[in-house]
Amino acid sequence: MPNLKVSVIGSGNWGSAIAKIVAENAAENSDIFESDVRMWVFEELVAGQKLTDIINSQHENVKYLPGIKLPSNVVAVPDLLAAVQDADLLVFNVPHQFLPRICSTLKGNVPSTVRAVSCIKGVEVNGDGITIIANYISNELGIYCGALSGANLAPEVAEEKYSETTIAYKVPDPTDVIDAKIIRTLFHRSYFHVNVVDDVAGVSLCGALKNIVALASGFVDGMEWGDNAKAAIIRRGLLEMTKFGREFFPESNASTFTEESCGVADVITSCSGGRNHKLGAALIKTRRPIFELEAELLKGQKAQGVTTAQEVYEFLDRRGKSREFPLFTAVHGIIFEGLDSYALPRILEEIEQKL
Amino acid sequence: MPNLKVSVIGSGNWGSAIAKIVAENAAENSDIFESDVRMWVFEELVAGQKLTDIINSQHENVKYLPGIKLPSNVVAVPDLLAAVQDADLLVFNVPHQFLPRICSTLKGNVPSTVRAVSCIKGVEVNGDGITIIANYISNELGIYCGALSGANLAPEVAEEKYSETTIAYKVPDPTDVIDAKIIRTLFHRSYFHVNVVDDVAGVSLCGALKNIVALASGFVDGMEWGDNAKAAIIRRGLLEMTKFGREFFPESNASTFTEESCGVADVITSCSGGRNHKLGAALIKTRRPIFELEAELLKGQKAQGVTTAQEVYEFLDRRGKSREFPLFTAVHGIIFEGLDSYALPRILEEIEQKL
């Protein structure tokens, strides 16, 4: 009986939705998991009460996932080190920008035999290179870390509406108890279908690059170009994502992009709605500065795609590769260089001809 | 100077939109094509005037593509044999059901050196086998026929909104003047981007099978399951389309389904709107008999997906393969056998486990 202890680090809407799933499965699979799942909560007061106390007594994250009952075996813990003590598996699910501080607290306090899955979408890009979030966690803590990404709008998952996800997990040591089957058992629900692959780079790139495509699909809707054009841009975007993966992460698989939930399905979802799509459409309709629009439309939240578009462009440009990624390059140009979005078909065509 | 003569057979909204494109390109490429492009029009009276006369004098198909100016080198011809006389390339673009009669008129009147492209989407399925429309034309007339299919809602193409398409054309004889480059020159416009591949079976299957997926996406919208579920169903559908192609037409390429406009892009467009999607959603919401709903909602038009779902199911069932295509089989079950659409995730999961 392995009796694996699982801790979820993070308690936003996605963190809480994932804690709910993991706790449901831990309770139903007592031959594998310890029933209690600890969830690290950044402590705050809600109407004078500690959020952890509310979660542990009312079994609801009233602040970040209101209206959804959490299983009673989700145990909110305000102290990060207490939350991970003796854990066998860590599930990371915090906003991107909090990760460095969390890792520096955990560093030296997590044995190398611990395993992790990152639900934090994306990658860190700078001119010098690209860091996959899961690899950042691995490097900081000296533990193996896989990645979870898919067409997973958190509120729909929390309401148990049917969806699928992709988990990249490649068993790092053949003697590990935690294998792909156990990973699937921990995350798979009748309403949340899991496919486990071994392509951490591909799954992570999908989660970042799709936001550039979502901006482009927003441009198309802003120009009112219709369904054909939108499908064309999604298709082109998906192919550029695949090419980017194959070129800079040769260990990634094209099928992760074109066949998995984290690829084609998440691109479709992100191009139907969501922050980046909304911002892209507003940019074309208003022609106002992007950061002004972002602040106004998203009320303080960030549209990850704007940063990603800029970082990816700089990364490509330094390598003399920007012209090989015409859609990514055009999205950057439209946002930051006043490029006319109506020129998109011509730009794509000119570059097609030269390749 | 080859001076190739092109005739378009058909003048519905899609036929007229394609005639417009072909005529624009014929006029601009006088080194390759004869400028006049004949369009066979099934003659009828519109407000007492012959439709061919209206098209040739007003340069507008007032009945089937009103509001769109056709180039003056589109010449409407009411007699089918006159329309194809001395043609080098035929572009077929008529409703499916008219094809046998057209082919029987043309039989024996078209030299074997003539080449053709079929814009008629789809395949003929019956228990015994599947006939690709392009191959049917080939067999009936003894000429080579390629296929054109893509995310191409006709009104948007006619309005010159940006879109892409896929043409399957494999030069049948190395001495042919008409090669992939000439095919591209005839169809490619700045607003209609063409990719030429050589997979006639794959392109044709996409055009038929996507309608089954569109029905399924309609079910998801009818149940109000949200964006995650819809993307999941599109992804599953695309993979079943690919599997169907690879299994029954081993000469087809997976990339035609997952990467080309006729595949992933057309599935996305068909799942955003269109007849099959609309009918699928209405079926779930009303639980009324499908043919009653179809007659009422589509005012006499057919949702091709219903027939295709039935034919494909029978085809699979006779081969003992229906369980390997759980989504296609479930769509058939939901339409014809009272299967509960809410069971979709469970059905997909049960079958996943067994494979």
Side-chain angles (χ1 to χ4, degrees), chain B residues 84 86-90 106-116 137-145 169 171-173 175-178:
Chain B
V84 305
D86 298 327
D88 298 290
L89 188 77
L90 305 179
L106 293 179
K107 211 169 192 165
N109 293 298
V110 175
S112 65
T113 50
V114 166
R115 300 292 175 246
I137 294 171
S138 282
N139 293 338
E140 289 294 301
L141 306 185
I143 60 174
Y144 176 79
C145 186
Y169 195 91
V171 180
D173 180 331
T175 67
D176 270 16
V177 172
I178 297 175

PDB file of all heavy atoms in Angstrom, chain B residues 84 86-90 106-116 137-145 169 171-173 175-178:
ATOM      1  N   VAL B  84     -18.933  22.614 -71.959  1.00  0.00           N
ATOM      2  CA  VAL B  84     -17.658  21.910 -71.762  1.00  0.00           C
ATOM      3  C   VAL B  84     -16.885  21.680 -73.058  1.00  0.00           C
ATOM      4  O   VAL B  84     -15.758  21.180 -73.033  1.00  0.00           O
ATOM      5  CB  VAL B  84     -17.856  20.529 -71.062  1.00  0.00           C
ATOM      6  CG1 VAL B  84     -18.610  20.707 -69.745  1.00  0.00           C
ATOM      7  CG2 VAL B  84     -18.584  19.539 -71.972  1.00  0.00           C
ATOM      8  N   ASP B  86     -14.457  21.545 -75.914  1.00  0.00           N
ATOM      9  CA  ASP B  86     -13.045  21.950 -76.035  1.00  0.00           C
ATOM     10  C   ASP B  86     -12.396  22.404 -74.731  1.00  0.00           C
ATOM     11  O   ASP B  86     -11.306  22.998 -74.760  1.00  0.00           O
ATOM     12  CB  ASP B  86     -12.869  23.084 -77.064  1.00  0.00           C
ATOM     13  CG  ASP B  86     -13.294  22.645 -78.454  1.00  0.00           C
ATOM     14  OD1 ASP B  86     -13.110  21.459 -78.777  1.00  0.00           O
ATOM     15  OD2 ASP B  86     -13.838  23.497 -79.193  1.00  0.00           O
ATOM     16  N   ALA B  87     -13.054  22.169 -73.615  1.00  0.00           N
ATOM     17  CA  ALA B  87     -12.454  22.590 -72.336  1.00  0.00           C
ATOM     18  C   ALA B  87     -11.231  21.730 -72.029  1.00  0.00           C
ATOM     19  O   ALA B  87     -11.179  20.550 -72.386  1.00  0.00           O
ATOM     20  CB  ALA B  87     -13.474  22.460 -71.209  1.00  0.00           C
ATOM     21  N   ASP B  88     -10.245  22.343 -71.356  1.00  0.00           N
ATOM     22  CA  ASP B  88      -9.081  21.591 -70.884  1.00  0.00           C
ATOM     23  C   ASP B  88      -9.252  21.180 -69.425  1.00  0.00           C
ATOM     24  O   ASP B  88      -8.705  20.183 -68.984  1.00  0.00           O
ATOM     25  CB  ASP B  88      -7.817  22.456 -71.011  1.00  0.00           C
ATOM     26  CG  ASP B  88      -7.549  22.825 -72.457  1.00  0.00           C
ATOM     27  OD1 ASP B  88      -7.184  21.920 -73.227  1.00  0.00           O
ATOM     28  OD2 ASP B  88      -7.757  24.005 -72.825  1.00  0.00           O
ATOM     29  N   LEU B  89      -9.986  22.017 -68.687  1.00  0.00           N
ATOM     30  CA  LEU B  89     -10.156  21.739 -67.256  1.00  0.00           C
ATOM     31  C   LEU B  89     -11.608  21.986 -66.861  1.00  0.00           C
ATOM     32  O   LEU B  89     -12.159  23.059 -67.134  1.00  0.00           O
ATOM     33  CB  LEU B  89      -9.234  22.648 -66.432  1.00  0.00           C
ATOM     34  CG  LEU B  89      -9.176  22.315 -64.947  1.00  0.00           C
ATOM     35  CD1 LEU B  89      -8.310  21.088 -64.690  1.00  0.00           C
ATOM     36  CD2 LEU B  89      -8.637  23.493 -64.153  1.00  0.00           C
ATOM     37  N   LEU B  90     -12.211  21.003 -66.203  1.00  0.00           N
ATOM     38  CA  LEU B  90     -13.584  21.136 -65.708  1.00  0.00           C
ATOM     39  C   LEU B  90     -13.564  21.287 -64.194  1.00  0.00           C
ATOM     40  O   LEU B  90     -12.862  20.546 -63.505  1.00  0.00           O
ATOM     41  CB  LEU B  90     -14.397  19.891 -66.067  1.00  0.00           C
ATOM     42  CG  LEU B  90     -14.434  19.490 -67.543  1.00  0.00           C
ATOM     43  CD1 LEU B  90     -15.264  18.207 -67.712  1.00  0.00           C
ATOM     44  CD2 LEU B  90     -15.018  20.623 -68.379  1.00  0.00           C
ATOM     45  N   LEU B 106     -22.398  13.865 -69.905  1.00  0.00           N
ATOM     46  CA  LEU B 106     -21.025  14.143 -70.362  1.00  0.00           C
ATOM     47  C   LEU B 106     -20.309  12.911 -70.915  1.00  0.00           C
ATOM     48  O   LEU B 106     -19.416  13.039 -71.767  1.00  0.00           O
ATOM     49  CB  LEU B 106     -20.190  14.715 -69.199  1.00  0.00           C
ATOM     50  CG  LEU B 106     -20.593  16.098 -68.684  1.00  0.00           C
ATOM     51  CD1 LEU B 106     -19.682  16.508 -67.520  1.00  0.00           C
ATOM     52  CD2 LEU B 106     -20.520  17.155 -69.803  1.00  0.00           C
ATOM     53  N   LYS B 107     -20.720  11.757 -70.425  1.00  0.00           N
ATOM     54  CA  LYS B 107     -20.035  10.493 -70.782  1.00  0.00           C
ATOM     55  C   LYS B 107     -19.880  10.357 -72.295  1.00  0.00           C
ATOM     56  O   LYS B 107     -20.844  10.508 -73.033  1.00  0.00           O
ATOM     57  CB  LYS B 107     -20.885   9.333 -70.261  1.00  0.00           C
ATOM     58  CG  LYS B 107     -20.087   8.133 -69.868  1.00  0.00           C
ATOM     59  CD  LYS B 107     -20.976   7.133 -69.109  1.00  0.00           C
ATOM     60  CE  LYS B 107     -20.144   6.066 -68.448  1.00  0.00           C
ATOM     61  NZ  LYS B 107     -20.925   5.323 -67.443  1.00  0.00           N
ATOM     62  N   GLY B 108     -18.660  10.084 -72.741  1.00  0.00           N
ATOM     63  CA  GLY B 108     -18.424   9.925 -74.169  1.00  0.00           C
ATOM     64  C   GLY B 108     -18.208  11.240 -74.899  1.00  0.00           C
ATOM     65  O   GLY B 108     -17.832  11.258 -76.077  1.00  0.00           O
ATOM     66  N   ASN B 109     -18.443  12.354 -74.205  1.00  0.00           N
ATOM     67  CA  ASN B 109     -18.284  13.664 -74.850  1.00  0.00           C
ATOM     68  C   ASN B 109     -17.092  14.460 -74.306  1.00  0.00           C
ATOM     69  O   ASN B 109     -16.942  15.637 -74.627  1.00  0.00           O
ATOM     70  CB  ASN B 109     -19.558  14.484 -74.683  1.00  0.00           C
ATOM     71  CG  ASN B 109     -20.713  13.884 -75.456  1.00  0.00           C
ATOM     72  OD1 ASN B 109     -20.665  13.786 -76.681  1.00  0.00           O
ATOM     73  ND2 ASN B 109     -21.737  13.424 -74.741  1.00  0.00           N
ATOM     74  N   VAL B 110     -16.299  13.815 -73.472  1.00  0.00           N
ATOM     75  CA  VAL B 110     -15.155  14.500 -72.868  1.00  0.00           C
ATOM     76  C   VAL B 110     -13.896  13.666 -73.162  1.00  0.00           C
ATOM     77  O   VAL B 110     -13.803  12.522 -72.723  1.00  0.00           O
ATOM     78  CB  VAL B 110     -15.363  14.631 -71.340  1.00  0.00           C
ATOM     79  CG1 VAL B 110     -14.127  15.218 -70.675  1.00  0.00           C
ATOM     80  CG2 VAL B 110     -16.591  15.476 -71.038  1.00  0.00           C
ATOM     81  N   PRO B 111     -12.928  14.217 -73.874  1.00  0.00           N
ATOM     82  CA  PRO B 111     -11.711  13.441 -74.163  1.00  0.00           C
ATOM     83  C   PRO B 111     -10.971  13.070 -72.872  1.00  0.00           C
ATOM     84  O   PRO B 111     -11.056  13.797 -71.876  1.00  0.00           O
ATOM     85  CB  PRO B 111     -10.857  14.404 -74.992  1.00  0.00           C
ATOM     86  CG  PRO B 111     -11.736  15.544 -75.372  1.00  0.00           C
ATOM     87  CD  PRO B 111     -12.882  15.579 -74.430  1.00  0.00           C
ATOM     88  N   SER B 112     -10.231  11.988 -72.915  1.00  0.00           N
ATOM     89  CA  SER B 112      -9.569  11.509 -71.696  1.00  0.00           C
ATOM     90  C   SER B 112      -8.429  12.420 -71.251  1.00  0.00           C
ATOM     91  O   SER B 112      -7.931  12.307 -70.134  1.00  0.00           O
ATOM     92  CB  SER B 112      -9.035  10.093 -71.917  1.00  0.00           C
ATOM     93  OG  SER B 112      -8.017  10.135 -72.909  1.00  0.00           O
ATOM     94  N   THR B 113      -8.017  13.357 -72.098  1.00  0.00           N
ATOM     95  CA  THR B 113      -6.942  14.289 -71.719  1.00  0.00           C
ATOM     96  C   THR B 113      -7.456  15.462 -70.879  1.00  0.00           C
ATOM     97  O   THR B 113      -6.660  16.235 -70.344  1.00  0.00           O
ATOM     98  CB  THR B 113      -6.292  14.885 -72.979  1.00  0.00           C
ATOM     99  OG1 THR B 113      -7.346  15.390 -73.825  1.00  0.00           O
ATOM    100  CG2 THR B 113      -5.505  13.819 -73.734  1.00  0.00           C
ATOM    101  N   VAL B 114      -8.778  15.603 -70.813  1.00  0.00           N
ATOM    102  CA  VAL B 114      -9.347  16.677 -69.981  1.00  0.00           C
ATOM    103  C   VAL B 114      -9.041  16.370 -68.515  1.00  0.00           C
ATOM    104  O   VAL B 114      -8.951  15.212 -68.122  1.00  0.00           O
ATOM    105  CB  VAL B 114     -10.874  16.773 -70.237  1.00  0.00           C
ATOM    106  CG1 VAL B 114     -11.566  17.631 -69.173  1.00  0.00           C
ATOM    107  CG2 VAL B 114     -11.125  17.344 -71.629  1.00  0.00           C
ATOM    108  N   ARG B 115      -8.850  17.441 -67.729  1.00  0.00           N
ATOM    109  CA  ARG B 115      -8.603  17.279 -66.293  1.00  0.00           C
ATOM    110  C   ARG B 115      -9.740  17.943 -65.517  1.00  0.00           C
ATOM    111  O   ARG B 115     -10.404  18.841 -66.054  1.00  0.00           O
ATOM    112  CB  ARG B 115      -7.258  17.907 -65.904  1.00  0.00           C
ATOM    113  CG  ARG B 115      -6.056  17.288 -66.635  1.00  0.00           C
ATOM    114  CD  ARG B 115      -5.826  15.863 -66.189  1.00  0.00           C
ATOM    115  NE  ARG B 115      -4.775  15.198 -66.950  1.00  0.00           N
ATOM    116  CZ  ARG B 115      -4.995  14.153 -67.764  1.00  0.00           C
ATOM    117  NH1 ARG B 115      -6.223  13.681 -67.946  1.00  0.00           N
ATOM    118  NH2 ARG B 115      -3.988  13.588 -68.397  1.00  0.00           N
ATOM    119  N   ALA B 116      -9.937  17.521 -64.291  1.00  0.00           N
ATOM    120  CA  ALA B 116     -11.061  18.073 -63.518  1.00  0.00           C
ATOM    121  C   ALA B 116     -10.689  18.279 -62.055  1.00  0.00           C
ATOM    122  O   ALA B 116      -9.756  17.656 -61.540  1.00  0.00           O
ATOM    123  CB  ALA B 116     -12.261  17.144 -63.618  1.00  0.00           C
ATOM    124  N   ILE B 137     -16.391  10.755 -60.520  1.00  0.00           N
ATOM    125  CA  ILE B 137     -16.292  11.546 -61.761  1.00  0.00           C
ATOM    126  C   ILE B 137     -15.230  10.928 -62.677  1.00  0.00           C
ATOM    127  O   ILE B 137     -15.463  10.734 -63.875  1.00  0.00           O
ATOM    128  CB  ILE B 137     -15.954  13.026 -61.428  1.00  0.00           C
ATOM    129  CG1 ILE B 137     -17.124  13.669 -60.676  1.00  0.00           C
ATOM    130  CG2 ILE B 137     -15.621  13.816 -62.699  1.00  0.00           C
ATOM    131  CD1 ILE B 137     -16.838  15.053 -60.111  1.00  0.00           C
ATOM    132  N   SER B 138     -14.076  10.606 -62.091  1.00  0.00           N
ATOM    133  CA  SER B 138     -13.005   9.955 -62.863  1.00  0.00           C
ATOM    134  C   SER B 138     -13.515   8.709 -63.569  1.00  0.00           C
ATOM    135  O   SER B 138     -13.300   8.525 -64.772  1.00  0.00           O
ATOM    136  CB  SER B 138     -11.871   9.506 -61.933  1.00  0.00           C
ATOM    137  OG  SER B 138     -11.066  10.579 -61.581  1.00  0.00           O
ATOM    138  N   ASN B 139     -14.185   7.865 -62.805  1.00  0.00           N
ATOM    139  CA  ASN B 139     -14.632   6.586 -63.364  1.00  0.00           C
ATOM    140  C   ASN B 139     -15.714   6.760 -64.423  1.00  0.00           C
ATOM    141  O   ASN B 139     -15.701   6.098 -65.451  1.00  0.00           O
ATOM    142  CB  ASN B 139     -15.159   5.663 -62.261  1.00  0.00           C
ATOM    143  CG  ASN B 139     -14.036   5.248 -61.329  1.00  0.00           C
ATOM    144  OD1 ASN B 139     -12.864   5.294 -61.698  1.00  0.00           O
ATOM    145  ND2 ASN B 139     -14.383   4.869 -60.110  1.00  0.00           N
ATOM    146  N   GLU B 140     -16.638   7.663 -64.153  1.00  0.00           N
ATOM    147  CA  GLU B 140     -17.730   7.860 -65.102  1.00  0.00           C
ATOM    148  C   GLU B 140     -17.231   8.425 -66.424  1.00  0.00           C
ATOM    149  O   GLU B 140     -17.685   8.044 -67.492  1.00  0.00           O
ATOM    150  CB  GLU B 140     -18.785   8.815 -64.516  1.00  0.00           C
ATOM    151  CG  GLU B 140     -19.614   8.223 -63.388  1.00  0.00           C
ATOM    152  CD  GLU B 140     -20.500   7.082 -63.870  1.00  0.00           C
ATOM    153  OE1 GLU B 140     -21.338   7.312 -64.757  1.00  0.00           O
ATOM    154  OE2 GLU B 140     -20.337   5.943 -63.359  1.00  0.00           O
ATOM    155  N   LEU B 141     -16.302   9.398 -66.334  1.00  0.00           N
ATOM    156  CA  LEU B 141     -15.900  10.125 -67.541  1.00  0.00           C
ATOM    157  C   LEU B 141     -14.559   9.668 -68.110  1.00  0.00           C
ATOM    158  O   LEU B 141     -14.171  10.105 -69.194  1.00  0.00           O
ATOM    159  CB  LEU B 141     -15.856  11.636 -67.263  1.00  0.00           C
ATOM    160  CG  LEU B 141     -17.131  12.250 -66.678  1.00  0.00           C
ATOM    161  CD1 LEU B 141     -16.990  13.758 -66.576  1.00  0.00           C
ATOM    162  CD2 LEU B 141     -18.353  11.899 -67.532  1.00  0.00           C
ATOM    163  N   GLY B 142     -13.836   8.855 -67.355  1.00  0.00           N
ATOM    164  CA  GLY B 142     -12.524   8.415 -67.823  1.00  0.00           C
ATOM    165  C   GLY B 142     -11.498   9.533 -67.864  1.00  0.00           C
ATOM    166  O   GLY B 142     -10.610   9.568 -68.721  1.00  0.00           O
ATOM    167  N   ILE B 143     -11.612  10.487 -66.918  1.00  0.00           N
ATOM    168  CA  ILE B 143     -10.631  11.586 -66.831  1.00  0.00           C
ATOM    169  C   ILE B 143     -10.110  11.678 -65.402  1.00  0.00           C
ATOM    170  O   ILE B 143     -10.760  11.215 -64.472  1.00  0.00           O
ATOM    171  CB  ILE B 143     -11.260  12.953 -67.208  1.00  0.00           C
ATOM    172  CG1 ILE B 143     -12.433  13.288 -66.257  1.00  0.00           C
ATOM    173  CG2 ILE B 143     -11.733  12.949 -68.665  1.00  0.00           C
ATOM    174  CD1 ILE B 143     -13.027  14.666 -66.461  1.00  0.00           C
ATOM    175  N   TYR B 144      -8.954  12.298 -65.218  1.00  0.00           N
ATOM    176  CA  TYR B 144      -8.456  12.496 -63.855  1.00  0.00           C
ATOM    177  C   TYR B 144      -9.254  13.598 -63.175  1.00  0.00           C
ATOM    178  O   TYR B 144      -9.566  14.638 -63.787  1.00  0.00           O
ATOM    179  CB  TYR B 144      -6.975  12.894 -63.861  1.00  0.00           C
ATOM    180  CG  TYR B 144      -6.480  13.186 -62.456  1.00  0.00           C
ATOM    181  CD1 TYR B 144      -6.154  12.151 -61.592  1.00  0.00           C
ATOM    182  CD2 TYR B 144      -6.409  14.496 -61.971  1.00  0.00           C
ATOM    183  CE1 TYR B 144      -5.760  12.398 -60.279  1.00  0.00           C
ATOM    184  CE2 TYR B 144      -6.013  14.748 -60.668  1.00  0.00           C
ATOM    185  CZ  TYR B 144      -5.692  13.695 -59.830  1.00  0.00           C
ATOM    186  OH  TYR B 144      -5.310  13.952 -58.537  1.00  0.00           O
ATOM    187  N   CYS B 145      -9.562  13.411 -61.892  1.00  0.00           N
ATOM    188  CA  CYS B 145     -10.281  14.452 -61.143  1.00  0.00           C
ATOM    189  C   CYS B 145      -9.678  14.623 -59.758  1.00  0.00           C
ATOM    190  O   CYS B 145      -9.553  13.656 -59.002  1.00  0.00           O
ATOM    191  CB  CYS B 145     -11.763  14.085 -61.030  1.00  0.00           C
ATOM    192  SG  CYS B 145     -12.762  15.380 -60.265  1.00  0.00           S
ATOM    193  N   TYR B 169      -4.537  17.418 -55.776  1.00  0.00           N
ATOM    194  CA  TYR B 169      -4.328  17.236 -57.221  1.00  0.00           C
ATOM    195  C   TYR B 169      -2.978  16.567 -57.426  1.00  0.00           C
ATOM    196  O   TYR B 169      -1.937  17.124 -57.061  1.00  0.00           O
ATOM    197  CB  TYR B 169      -4.369  18.585 -57.959  1.00  0.00           C
ATOM    198  CG  TYR B 169      -4.515  18.405 -59.458  1.00  0.00           C
ATOM    199  CD1 TYR B 169      -5.775  18.360 -60.045  1.00  0.00           C
ATOM    200  CD2 TYR B 169      -3.395  18.237 -60.274  1.00  0.00           C
ATOM    201  CE1 TYR B 169      -5.927  18.151 -61.408  1.00  0.00           C
ATOM    202  CE2 TYR B 169      -3.538  18.028 -61.639  1.00  0.00           C
ATOM    203  CZ  TYR B 169      -4.799  17.989 -62.196  1.00  0.00           C
ATOM    204  OH  TYR B 169      -4.951  17.782 -63.549  1.00  0.00           O
ATOM    205  N   VAL B 171      -0.719  15.133 -60.342  1.00  0.00           N
ATOM    206  CA  VAL B 171      -0.617  15.134 -61.810  1.00  0.00           C
ATOM    207  C   VAL B 171      -0.625  13.687 -62.322  1.00  0.00           C
ATOM    208  O   VAL B 171       0.244  12.896 -61.963  1.00  0.00           O
ATOM    209  CB  VAL B 171       0.666  15.873 -62.261  1.00  0.00           C
ATOM    210  CG1 VAL B 171       0.769  15.868 -63.777  1.00  0.00           C
ATOM    211  CG2 VAL B 171       0.659  17.295 -61.730  1.00  0.00           C
ATOM    212  N   PRO B 172      -1.634  13.337 -63.154  1.00  0.00           N
ATOM    213  CA  PRO B 172      -1.801  11.923 -63.510  1.00  0.00           C
ATOM    214  C   PRO B 172      -0.817  11.447 -64.563  1.00  0.00           C
ATOM    215  O   PRO B 172      -0.572  10.240 -64.676  1.00  0.00           O
ATOM    216  CB  PRO B 172      -3.231  11.864 -64.042  1.00  0.00           C
ATOM    217  CG  PRO B 172      -3.520  13.249 -64.533  1.00  0.00           C
ATOM    218  CD  PRO B 172      -2.728  14.179 -63.669  1.00  0.00           C
ATOM    219  N   ASP B 173      -0.275  12.381 -65.338  1.00  0.00           N
ATOM    220  CA  ASP B 173       0.593  11.980 -66.446  1.00  0.00           C
ATOM    221  C   ASP B 173       1.738  13.002 -66.491  1.00  0.00           C
ATOM    222  O   ASP B 173       1.498  14.220 -66.576  1.00  0.00           O
ATOM    223  CB  ASP B 173      -0.245  12.047 -67.747  1.00  0.00           C
ATOM    224  CG  ASP B 173       0.579  11.649 -68.967  1.00  0.00           C
ATOM    225  OD1 ASP B 173       1.813  11.842 -68.971  1.00  0.00           O
ATOM    226  OD2 ASP B 173      -0.026  11.160 -69.941  1.00  0.00           O
ATOM    227  N   THR B 175       3.540  14.116 -68.644  1.00  0.00           N
ATOM    228  CA  THR B 175       3.592  15.013 -69.801  1.00  0.00           C
ATOM    229  C   THR B 175       2.482  16.073 -69.757  1.00  0.00           C
ATOM    230  O   THR B 175       2.385  16.916 -70.642  1.00  0.00           O
ATOM    231  CB  THR B 175       3.464  14.217 -71.125  1.00  0.00           C
ATOM    232  OG1 THR B 175       2.146  13.657 -71.206  1.00  0.00           O
ATOM    233  CG2 THR B 175       4.489  13.096 -71.192  1.00  0.00           C
ATOM    234  N   ASP B 176       1.640  16.034 -68.728  1.00  0.00           N
ATOM    235  CA  ASP B 176       0.544  17.008 -68.611  1.00  0.00           C
ATOM    236  C   ASP B 176       1.054  18.443 -68.576  1.00  0.00           C
ATOM    237  O   ASP B 176       2.061  18.732 -67.908  1.00  0.00           O
ATOM    238  CB  ASP B 176      -0.217  16.772 -67.295  1.00  0.00           C
ATOM    239  CG  ASP B 176      -1.359  15.788 -67.464  1.00  0.00           C
ATOM    240  OD1 ASP B 176      -1.375  15.074 -68.479  1.00  0.00           O
ATOM    241  OD2 ASP B 176      -2.230  15.747 -66.569  1.00  0.00           O
ATOM    242  N   VAL B 177       0.360  19.345 -69.249  1.00  0.00           N
ATOM    243  CA  VAL B 177       0.635  20.781 -69.111  1.00  0.00           C
ATOM    244  C   VAL B 177       0.131  21.262 -67.751  1.00  0.00           C
ATOM    245  O   VAL B 177       0.758  22.065 -67.062  1.00  0.00           O
ATOM    246  CB  VAL B 177      -0.061  21.564 -70.247  1.00  0.00           C
ATOM    247  CG1 VAL B 177       0.051  23.067 -70.008  1.00  0.00           C
ATOM    248  CG2 VAL B 177       0.536  21.170 -71.592  1.00  0.00           C
ATOM    249  N   ILE B 178      -1.041  20.761 -67.366  1.00  0.00           N
ATOM    250  CA  ILE B 178      -1.648  21.189 -66.098  1.00  0.00           C
ATOM    251  C   ILE B 178      -0.939  20.497 -64.934  1.00  0.00           C
ATOM    252  O   ILE B 178      -1.055  19.289 -64.754  1.00  0.00           O
ATOM    253  CB  ILE B 178      -3.157  20.867 -66.091  1.00  0.00           C
ATOM    254  CG1 ILE B 178      -3.859  21.658 -67.200  1.00  0.00           C
ATOM    255  CG2 ILE B 178      -3.770  21.191 -64.734  1.00  0.00           C
ATOM    256  CD1 ILE B 178      -5.323  21.335 -67.380  1.00  0.00           C
TER     257      ILE B 178
END
